């Protein structure tokens, strides 16, 4: 059996005295696509922020079997874990190309960084067309493309995607999901998705975690969740 790329055991996190996650166990294997389902307020974004090093947590977090302590975003990026945050989070005053360079700030292979920029410009042609524009002047869909490309500039082995479809037109959402599925297949980048469009996420995921009120109440293969009438009705809409 392949060892997990990322494994959290007994993970608890919150904001001040308000505990949002309680004793969450979750793991992602190399190259796997997993999705976290849950209603609004279930703690999905808190989970992603804790895994990305943006929130302190208790419990154990392992990457490649090695414990991660005193986690920070730069430290998690160094471990190969990168986040596409909810709400895009681009640096609005910087140009598109400078946003991409900022995503590679920890890298020293500058010539290869420029090659990667061209790669993502090829993947997202609209970013190439707007390479000199401030990120804040892009459309919502273009900003989401930029957020994904910027997160990929660190060459992560695990990409955390927090609601990448939020507020976007269905056609753009479909394009984004086709792109990240292709990245998973071609580059072997594992994906952990929190997604309001659960049906679309389930199409590319092999494993599912169901989060309710800060706790994982069920997990298993995506095909098993798709066969559950209650899951289909509540989360998949059919």
């Amino acid at each position: 059996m392949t060892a997990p790329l990322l494994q959290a055991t007994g993970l608890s996190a919150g904001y001040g005295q308000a505990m949002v996650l309680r004793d969450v166990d979750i793991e992602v294997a190399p190259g796997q696509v997993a999705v976290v389902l849950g209603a609004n307020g279930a703690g999905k974004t808190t989970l992603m922020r804790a895994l990305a090093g943006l929130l302190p947590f208790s419990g154990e977090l392992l990457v490649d079997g090695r414990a991660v302590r005193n986690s920070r975003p730069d430290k998690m990026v160094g471990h190969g874990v990168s986040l596409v945050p909810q709400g895009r989070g681009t640096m609005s005053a910087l140009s598109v190309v400078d946003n991409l360079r900022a995503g590679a700030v920890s890298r020293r292979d500058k010539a290869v960084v420029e090659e990667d920029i061209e790669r993502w410009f090829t993947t997202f042609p609209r970013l190439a067309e707007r390479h000199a524009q401030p990120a804040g002047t892009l459309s919502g869909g273009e900003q989401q493309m930029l957020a994904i490309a910027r997160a990929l500039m660190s060459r992560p082995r695990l990409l955390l995607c927090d609601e990448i479809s939020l507020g976007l037109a269905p056609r753009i959402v479909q394009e984004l999901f086709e792109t990240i599925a292709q990245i998973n297949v071609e580059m072997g980048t594992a994906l952990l998705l929190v997604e309001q469009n659960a049906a679309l996420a389930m199409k590319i995921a092999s494993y599912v975690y169901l989060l309710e009120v800060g706790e994982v109440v069920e997990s298993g293969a995506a095909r098993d969740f798709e066969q559950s009438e209650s899951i289909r009705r509540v989360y998949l809409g059919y």
Side-chain angles (χ1 to χ4, degrees):
M1 179 180 291
T2 303
L5 169 57
L6 178 142
Q7 183 177 29
T9 305
L11 189 74
S12 297
Y15 305 90
Q17 298 300 312
M19 195 58 58
V20 177
L21 299 178
R22 290 176 292 279
D23 294 324
V24 167
D25 294 348
I26 192 168
E27 64 181 52
V28 184
Q32 185 182 36
V33 180
V35 61
V36 180
L37 299 180
N40 290 338
K44 303 186 299 297
T45 290
T46 300
L47 172 63
M48 300 295 265
R49 288 173 59 82
L51 294 178
L54 290 165
L55 279 180
F57 60 83
S58 59
E60 185 174 53
L61 179 62
L62 305 177
V63 179
D64 288 329
R66 291 174 291 185
V68 177
R69 298 184 177 87
N70 301 317
S71 179
R72 303 187 310 264
D74 60 322
K75 195 170 183 179
M76 293 309 296
V77 168
H79 286 300
V81 179
S82 190
L83 172 69
V84 182
Q86 186 182 89
R88 303 170 185 80
T90 56
M91 290 174 278
S92 60
L94 294 183
S95 68
V96 167
V97 71
D98 283 343
N99 264 270
L100 294 180
R101 291 191 179 117
V105 68
S106 62
R107 294 173 57 182
R108 298 292 176 262
D109 51 342
K110 299 306 180 185
V112 183
V113 165
E114 295 304 311
E115 291 175 4
D116 283 355
I117 289 173
E118 290 306 314
R119 173 178 189 151
W120 300 122
F121 279 165
T122 300
T123 302
F124 299 109
R126 276 169 284 187
L127 297 184
E129 295 168 4
R130 293 155 175 74
H131 69 279
Q133 284 185 221
T137 66
L138 302 181
S139 70
E142 290 162 352
Q143 288 189 40
Q144 192 61 281
M145 294 173 194
L146 179 56
I148 293 170
R150 188 182 66 184
L152 288 164
M153 284 298 298
S154 65
R155 292 196 169 185
R157 290 174 297 146
L158 172 60
L159 188 66
L160 308 173
C161 296
D162 189 3
E163 300 278 19
I164 63 172
S165 75
L166 192 64
L168 301 181
R171 179 179 58 82
I172 300 298
V173 172
Q174 185 67 43
E175 288 179 10
L176 290 176
F177 269 82
E178 289 173 357
T179 299
I180 64 171
Q182 184 178 8
I183 289 165
N184 170 253
V185 171
E186 294 183 356
M187 300 178 64
T189 307
L191 305 173
L192 181 61
L193 310 172
V194 162
E195 182 50 56
Q196 63 172 355
N197 193 329
L200 192 54
M202 293 277 280
K203 288 182 179 179
I204 67 171
S206 62
Y207 204 83
V208 178
Y209 293 91
L210 180 57
L211 195 65
E212 292 184 356
V213 199
E215 299 179 358
V216 173
V217 296
E218 193 172 349
S219 63
R223 61 180 177 273
D224 295 334
F225 274 70
E226 290 173 336
Q227 292 168 2
S228 166
E229 182 178 349
S230 61
I231 294 296
R232 290 203 315 268
R233 184 175 63 254
V234 175
Y235 295 103
L236 305 182
Y238 63 89

